[in-house]
Amino acid sequence: MTDAPLKAAMIPVTPLAQNCSLIWCTATNRAAVVDPGGDLPKIHAAIAKAGVTVEKILITHGHIDHCGEAGTLAAALGVPIEGPHEADRFWIARLAEDGRAWGLAGTPFEPDRWLDQGAQVTLGALTLDVHHCPGHTPGHVVFHHAPSRLALVGDVLFEGSIGRTDFPMSDHQALLDSIVTKLWPLGDDTVFIPGHGRPSRFGVERQHNPFVADSVLAR
């Protein structure tokens, strides 16, 4: 749709094929980079190709493939970082350590704004709602643009799967609760961009996802 208020481009980065996203307001060409985990030249190229001006960086959670180079990119672009929830301070503080373990660039940073449930972030003329969805990490947040029926869910939910909960401070039941109480109410027709893999719709996952389909959770 040429008249869509928000557009999004997925930029797979790092050997973990993490979906960094470039989202922008079509009325103003103001953009945000969501989860710049690495491969900054690739991200810069995507920004140039889209012809947009980045005004902020948004972070869903503190794992290195999602935010390892957020501080570096923010400094290069001269823009603030918003997110995740402060409960992920633990993960952001250990980015350098995790970088050495994974062979990735990782630089700790202090977000300009931590985000809580019910917060909103602006992007040009647009406003996105913030939902705190703990489980994969304690401070994971999801960004939702209701008029576009689009959500950026990080590693909470995937096509046919859900986020891992075998990390320090993960909580499997909390993850299931986040999906059911925070994501499903956003509507079955909502398209979501996950942290890895292909986009899907919440309604499709409610029917077919082997972890959180309505029929599975009803057992």
Side-chain angles (χ1 to χ4, degrees):
M1 289 190 301
T2 56
D3 59 346
L6 181 151
K7 288 190 176 181
M10 291 165 50
I11 313 162
V13 297
T14 81
L16 300 174
Q18 190 276 122
N19 288 328
C20 171
S21 294
L22 178 67
I23 61 172
W24 65 95
C25 168
T26 56
T28 64
N29 266 358
R30 306 287 287 183
V33 178
V34 185
D35 287 357
D39 294 336
L40 294 190
K42 194 173 182 181
I43 296 172
H44 284 296
I47 295 168
K49 180 180 179 181
V52 296
T53 300
V54 175
E55 66 176 32
K56 63 185 60 176
I57 292 170
L58 302 176
I59 303 297
T60 63
H61 66 291
H63 283 168
I64 189 165
D65 55 326
H66 289 257
C67 67
E69 294 203 67
T72 304
L73 183 61
L77 297 176
V79 299
I81 299 173
E82 299 187 13
H85 184 283
E86 194 170 3
D88 266 15
R89 183 184 287 275
F90 161 84
W91 284 106
I92 294 172
R94 57 180 277 174
L95 284 172
E97 174 188 344
D98 286 343
R100 289 189 293 271
W102 287 91
L104 300 173
T107 304
F109 62 91
E110 179 75 15
D112 295 87
R113 180 187 175 205
W114 298 103
L115 298 173
D116 296 312
Q117 172 65 29
Q120 293 182 318
V121 296
T122 58
L123 177 61
L126 307 179
T127 300
L128 284 74
D129 297 312
V130 176
H131 297 277
H132 180 210
C133 294
H136 179 66
T137 68
H140 202 304
V141 297
V142 163
F143 301 101
H144 176 233
H145 187 242
S148 298
R149 298 187 296 279
L150 177 70
L152 297 104
V153 304
D155 287 357
V156 173
L157 180 70
F158 304 109
E159 180 187 41
S161 189
I162 60 174
R164 288 173 55 180
T165 53
D166 56 345
F167 295 110
M169 302 177 71
S170 293
D171 185 323
H172 183 74
Q173 187 58 52
L175 180 66
L176 298 180
D177 292 343
S178 290
I179 292 169
V180 172
T181 66
K182 303 286 182 61
L183 299 189
W184 290 170
L186 301 182
D188 286 354
D189 61 344
T190 297
V191 173
F192 68 91
I193 297 176
H196 306 265
R198 302 184 303 181
S200 181
R201 283 183 170 81
F202 290 149
V204 172
E205 302 310 309
R206 291 188 69 169
Q207 282 190 300
H208 302 295
N209 191 297
F211 297 92
V212 287
D214 293 350
S215 60
V216 173
L217 295 180
R219 292 172 187 167

